[in-house]
Structures are given as structure tokens and as C-alpha cells.
Amino acid sequence: MFDPRKDALCVERVAALLPNLADYVSRWAAQRPAAPALIEYDTGETVSWKRFNTSVDAFAAKLLSVGIRKGDVVASSLPLLKEHVFLMFACHRIGAIMAPLDLRLKAGEIQYCMDKMRPKAWFFLGKTPVADFRPLVSEVLGRTPSLTVKVQFQKEADPTLIVPGATWVQDWVRGIKWTFIKSKLTGAVARARAQVGTDDPTLIIFTTGSTGSPKPALLSHRNILVQNVGLATAWEMNPSSRMMVNLPPSHVGCVTEQLDTTIFMGATAVILHVFDPVKSLDAIQKHRVTMLGQIPALFNLEWKLPDYGSYDLSSLEFAIYGGQQVSRPFLEKMKAMAPRIGTGLGLTETAGFCTYTDVNADVDDLVKGIGRDMPAFPISVREPMGPDGAAGALKTPGEVGEICFSGPQVFLGYLGDEENTRKTISTDGVVYTGDLGWYDDDGLHFAGRSKMVIKPKGYQVFPADIENHIAKALDPRVNAAACVGAEHEVFTEAIMVFVEPAPGQEVTAAEVHAVCKEIAAYSRPSHVEIVRPGEMPLNRVAKTDYMTLKARAKEIVARLRSEGAWDV
């Protein structure tokens, strides 16, 4: 880090870590039982540390009573409800593996995740004012035989709304008080907790890597807790801090970085069920939030509100952005929003942040680089991994190479995917991020991505997934489809797809947009460009020339902006 005293504090805190994420709920319940642990903005409820700990124990007892054991996967398709948080930490406590899935996934995408994980339990939404998830749920339930616990979160007490084969959440929790008391008398939860080690898996977050297919990254308690040390120390979180958590729980930015670090420090998490720019700003002023972390697209949505200037954001002390590089004007807007701002490199495979800018960095500092590492998880810039799987040779300082890390934040691997795990973690324990850059006294600097990932709204999207979907959906009328990222003032990066019809065929942009409604919203193209048959640019080895397409996309964006049809 930029302060040697913080390096020393990191070493001290890592050495003193408790072994289990849920142990910190117990710690603060014992030391500060009445202090606020969670504030649920959407309901206005405040959850004390004592209530938090009791709820975690109750959920843990209930999970054990229905047959969930150490190593079982518990999937969820839920917003960031307080009950979702209780469920997460109940899993941590008894050794189950929590797997929060993105609410915007379609049936086929959820099924892909289920087939990878083979979960024993699934907690999901039913019919809501925003969407009816029941058809999707019914389809997945019928194709996932591993599920023995199927719980539907449904507000209304109407049995006709419950998917066949599922249990209404109110029925599921009925009698939970007695189950909790019984577990206290028998010691069931305590015995389960005693069997959980700090290096045991506790969380699955799906990521998109070099192959383009979502991969279930398996994280341990130690992975996450060491990241909590780095974030809390670098950016000076303390028990009086109030962190707003408004990101989806299917991302490390929400769970391991914001929520878990807040709980690790005994601070207060102000949680929003789902992101909303108006609610986010209102939560800051109503609950005197001191810290927030968001992807650039979310900041942009807040700043675009016509009444943005009317919100009282004076409580903010520190604002974090991550997921993408940003412009100087963006940083200047952030600096006007909060007196101190920061960023760093964060990966699913490292349980979140692994570099940190100085807490007092100004705009010029942030333009220079994206922070330094910490002693417990050192960075290295290397040659590509060797054919024998060993880490490549170290580059000289300032020389561009593969950005790597080693130490206790290296994830356990991709669940059931040894091949891709070996491509990411060397035989000597070095994790390859897939990014290129160099490291010097100013910290880490990006030179480019070695993985062809597009990041609309901070999500990771691999072009091949969209291309293959379009080609399959419109087969045999499409000869080729190619996706590139294009700069966008709101989403930071948006998806543009070029589609070449097969000879003698006709395909419209409207048709392409229509078939893309079958994939997650964040994966959908913002613009479809139809190219004439035979005019998809190819490189010298007859592969799609993405560099030419990116240059063409810039020209198209300029035209669309002049027409008011981009950045909206």
C-alpha cells in the first residue's frame, strides 16, 4: 500500500483473523449487541448485531433440519433482502456453499448454472410487481433433480401463486423459533460450525473468463476475509462507518467487498433490495451513509437525475468505483460527490479487491494508476504461464506483462472445471488475472485486457456468448455475428453487434434485438448493425477482425450521438 503503517496493520490483521465469516457476526453481537448491523432501506428496518446473530443461528438450524450439510450448495435468486443476508451467513456458519445468482438470468442461463453446481437447495422469487418468475422457476425445477429444498419468496398468502413442488417461504420458516431453541439445546449449529475450516469453500460467484462461458468461482472464508482486511485497512473503514450496499448479490462487489467487509469491521451496512438511483441517493441522505462503492454506470445514472443537486450527500466520506477505467471528467464528478475517492483492481477469482489507491489520492493520482497491493497478497507482472503449468518469469519493473497475484486471496478454483482452473492458477499458486499491465512506484497500470471481455454496466460479457446465441436463434439465415464494446456515457461500455446475413437471406436489426430478449438484459446489444453478405471484415488468418469492427463502431457511435440515439 502507499502507507507503510497500513502494510503493517494488514499483516497484523491477517494474522488475527477469525476462521469463519459468520464468526464476525457472533463477535459483534457479543461486543456491541444493540448497535446497528443492517439497515434495510426498502422496509426502514434496522437489524441489531444481536438480532442478526440470532437470525443467522435460526436460519442455520432450519437448514440443518431440512438436510443441508457442509459442502452442500445453496442457490438463491433473490434481491438483497435482509433475509437473504441471514441465509448467506447461515450457510457460512454451517459450511454450506452459498451461490447467489443474478436475477436477470433467463431460464436457460439459470439451468446452465444449476447443471454446473447441482445445488441441494434453491431460494427464489415468485410473482412480483416487476416480473413473474414462476414460469422460469417451473422450467428449472423440472430439470434440476438435485434440488430437495425449494423455497419461494412470495409476499401474498395465496397458495395459487406458489409454483408446484415449491414451499412458500412463510410455511418454510413456520416453527423456526422451536427449531432454533432445539438446536441450542442439542448444540446442532455449534457442532456444524466446529467442522468448518477457514479454507473450506463457502461462496460460489459465477464469472466470465477467457472461454466466454460463465464459470463458478469457488471462494473460501480465508479468501474473502483477507480481502476484507485489505479494503478496510486501505480505505480506513471503522465501526462507525456506514456502507451503502446497492449492487446485486451475484457479484463480489456486493457480497465480498461491501457487505462482508462492513460486517468484518463491525460497521453498518445500508442495504437496498435492488439498485435504484433515486433510492440510492435518498438512502445516503436519510441514513447518513459515509461510504459507497459502485460501478461507473451507476454513478452516471445518479448524476443524470434532474434533481441530483437537491440530495444532501454531506455525510459521504469516501466513494469507490471499480470494474472499468474512467475518464478525468468522471473522476472530477466523483470528487465533487465525496471528499475522498478511490479505486483498485478487483476480480472474482481474488474475492474482490487486490490493489488499492491511496485514501487521499487526488484526480491526478487516480489517472496515473489503480493502486498498490498489500503484503498478504503480493502482485507480480509475468510472462505467460509455461507449458508445464508453472508461472512465467517475472518482468522487470515498468515492463508490460501478465498481471498476477499470489497468496491467500487466490480462489479455490472453478467448481468442476479443472481445465480452466489450471489455465488460471499456476502449479506454484499464482493466479493470472487475464489483464496486461505494469507496476511501478505509482502502482498498477493497465495496458489492456488479454481476455476479450465487454463490460456493460460493470457486468462481464464475452462476445462469443452473444454471437453464438444470435447465430443459433437465426440459423440458417445468419452467416456471422460479431460483438464489440463501444464507449457509452451512461453504461461506460455498451455492446454493438455486427450481423452478416447468409447469401440470399435477409435479417433485420429488429429481429436480432427480438432474439436477444432471450438472454440476460445486460448481455443485449445496444445497437445492431447489419453488414452485407461477404463484408464482415476478416484478418489475415480469416478470422473476424475485431480491431476493424471497433474502429467502425466508433464511427457508428458518432453518427448515433448526432442523432440522439446513443448514451440513452
Side-chain angles (χ1 to χ4, degrees), residues 174-188:
R174 190 168 287 119
I176 196 171
K177 184 175 181 180
W178 167 242
T179 305
F180 166 67
I181 293 170
K182 185 179 178 181
S183 75
K184 285 294 186 182
L185 294 173
T186 62

Side-chain angles (χ1 to χ4, degrees), residues 63 67-76 87 91 94-101 113-123 144 146-149 201-206 216 218 415-416:
L63 289 172
I68 301 300
R69 297 291 183 268
K70 178 183 177 181
D72 288 338
V73 176
V74 176
S76 63
L87 176 64
C91 289
I94 66 172
I97 304 170
M98 189 71 203
L101 302 177
C113 297
M114 294 296 193
D115 292 343
K116 287 285 185 182
M117 300 185 298
R118 298 178 183 175
K120 194 169 184 178
W122 186 26
F123 294 78
T144 313
S146 63
L147 290 171
T148 60
V149 179
T202 192
L203 182 68
I204 292 172
I205 297 290
F206 274 84
L218 201 56
L415 180 66

Side-chain angles (χ1 to χ4, degrees), residues 134 277 458 461 469 478 511 533:
R134 293 175 301 165
V461 176
H469 174 78
V478 168
E511 288 178 300

Side-chain angles (χ1 to χ4, degrees), residues 220-468:
S220 71
H221 294 270
R222 192 196 303 270
N223 292 156
I224 299 168
L225 287 168
V226 172
Q227 190 276 157
N228 298 158
V229 168
L231 194 155
T233 305
W235 293 325
E236 300 179 359
M237 182 182 280
N238 61 70
S240 65
S241 298
R242 289 195 167 195
M243 169 72 86
M244 184 167 71
V245 187
N246 63 353
L247 302 178
S250 54
H251 289 251
V252 289
C254 170
V255 179
T256 66
E257 294 175 357
Q258 294 181 320
L259 182 62
D260 290 351
T261 304
T262 304
I263 291 167
F264 166 74
M265 284 303 297
T268 303
V270 179
I271 62 174
L272 273 68
H273 290 173
V274 295
F275 172 79
D276 178 274
V278 172
K279 289 181 178 180
S280 296
L281 296 177
D282 187 53
I284 294 171
Q285 69 175 5
K286 181 177 290 184
H287 297 295
R288 309 306 294 163
V289 168
T290 63
M291 299 181 73
L292 83 159
Q294 298 180 147
I295 59 173
L298 304 191
F299 283 107
N300 282 325
L301 289 170
E302 290 160 355
W303 296 337
K304 286 173 71 73
L305 292 174
D307 60 346
Y308 169 73
S310 69
Y311 290 94
D312 178 8
L313 308 181
S314 60
S315 62
L316 275 180
E317 298 172 1
F318 196 75
I320 307 162
Y321 73 92
Q324 286 170 297
Q325 292 177 287
V326 298
S327 64
R328 177 180 286 273
F330 181 95
L331 294 172
E332 290 168 346
K333 285 183 181 179
M334 276 195 71
K335 195 69 172 173
M337 185 182 194
R340 300 197 295 180
I341 62 176
T343 191
L345 176 63
L347 308 168
T348 303
E349 290 88 346
T350 61
F353 278 111
C354 41
T355 70
Y356 313 85
T357 53
D358 185 74
V359 72
N360 294 311
D362 58 23
V363 170
D364 289 335
D365 295 325
L366 294 172
V367 168
K368 290 179 184 177
I370 53 172
R372 291 183 180 175
D373 59 353
M374 71 162 175
F377 197 52
I379 191 173
S380 57
V381 178
R382 297 176 176 270
E383 296 283 354
M385 200 180 296
D388 60 351
L394 290 169
K395 294 281 193 174
T396 57
E399 188 179 3
V400 174
E402 298 268 358
I403 300 170
C404 302
F405 292 87
S406 56
Q409 277 182 240
V410 175
F411 77 131
L412 300 178
Y414 299 115
L415 180 66
D417 190 348
E418 186 63 29
E419 180 182 354
N420 277 309
T421 298
R422 287 198 302 268
K423 291 177 181 178
T424 307
I425 307 174
S426 71
T427 54
D428 37 353
V430 175
V431 64
Y432 275 68
T433 68
D435 291 313
L436 302 173
W438 73 96
Y439 197 77
D440 59 21
D441 290 342
D442 291 323
L444 178 62
H445 310 265
F446 269 126
R449 294 193 184 102
S450 59
K451 298 179 180 180
M452 289 179 58
V453 175
I454 303 172
K455 291 191 173 183
K457 305 177 188 177
Y459 287 90
Q460 293 193 88
V461 176
F462 196 80
D465 288 341
I466 309 169
E467 295 161 1
N468 292 338

